Amino acid sequence: MRQWNDESGNVIVEFVGVMIILVVPALLSLLAVSSLLMGQAAITAATRDGARAFVRAESVVQGRQHATHIATEAFEQRGVDADVTVDFVCSATPCLTPGAAVTTTVRANVRLTSVGMSVTLDESLRLPVDELREGRE
């Protein structure tokens, strides 16, 4: 009768098992965290640039359009797959009254494709309207 005591092939099987159980989930988690950090960088830039565009606009309509375009572009430039919404809250009426403040909030639903889920990020920034400009509607 022949005995099989040679265990040289077990190392390969154990290595593949460790790779599948430990390394693959760690890699997927790393990809998800990377996407999340890119989304956070994008939402920070989108909020800052969108708020600046709104308070410098000639009208509220023009400001909303320009700020929304800039916010969406910030995500596209960074390669982040997200649904973006931009909201504005004005401290005075009309909205772009010199010396008033405008709070810009950008909300993004960022899809983390590596783990098959999405995360909602939001950020707000309050900027003053330039006091030396004429009032704008």
Side-chain angles (χ1 to χ4, degrees), residues 42-60 62-72 74 84-90 95-96 100-107 123-130 133 136:
I43 201 164
T44 299
T47 304
R48 181 187 62 240
D49 296 342
R52 286 179 183 163
F54 186 80
V55 298
R56 292 181 179 171
E58 292 300 318
S59 69
V60 173
Q62 179 191 18
R64 283 185 193 278
Q65 290 173 346
H66 194 60
T68 301
H69 173 72
I70 286 175
T72 304
V84 181
T85 59
V86 183
D87 296 316
F88 303 96
V89 176
C90 304
C95 190
L96 295 174
V102 177
T103 302
T104 304
T105 302
V106 177
R107 190 166 284 110
E123 188 162 324
S124 296
L125 179 65
R126 183 177 173 97
L127 286 181
V129 178
D130 188 5
R133 294 189 70 171
R136 300 173 303 250

Side-chain angles (χ1 to χ4, degrees), residues 3-127:
Q3 289 185 344
W4 296 94
N5 290 333
D6 184 18
E7 294 185 13
S8 61
N10 286 347
V11 172
I12 294 172
V13 172
E14 290 172 6
F15 177 75
V16 170
V18 167
M19 291 295 288
I20 291 172
I21 293 171
L22 297 177
V23 175
V24 172
L27 183 61
L28 290 174
S29 298
L30 183 64
L31 289 172
V33 168
S34 173
S35 295
L36 194 58
L37 290 174
M38 286 298 289
Q40 186 62 44
I43 201 164
T44 299
T47 304
R48 181 187 62 240
D49 296 342
R52 286 179 183 163
F54 186 80
V55 298
R56 292 181 179 171
E58 292 300 318
S59 69
V60 173
V61 173
Q62 179 191 18
R64 283 185 193 278
Q65 290 173 346
H66 194 60
T68 301
H69 173 72
I70 286 175
T72 304
E73 192 174 283
F75 283 89
E76 289 173 0
Q77 287 177 348
R78 288 164 179 78
V80 178
D81 185 18
D83 298 322
V84 181
T85 59
V86 183
D87 296 316
F88 303 96
V89 176
C90 304
S91 66
T93 303
C95 190
L96 295 174
T97 302
V102 177
T103 302
T104 304
T105 302
V106 177
R107 190 166 284 110
N109 189 15
V110 178
R111 287 179 282 286
L112 306 175
T113 55
S114 61
V115 292
M117 61 183 283
S118 62
V119 176
T120 301
L121 302 174
D122 62 350
E123 188 162 324
S124 296
L125 179 65
R126 183 177 173 97
L127 286 181

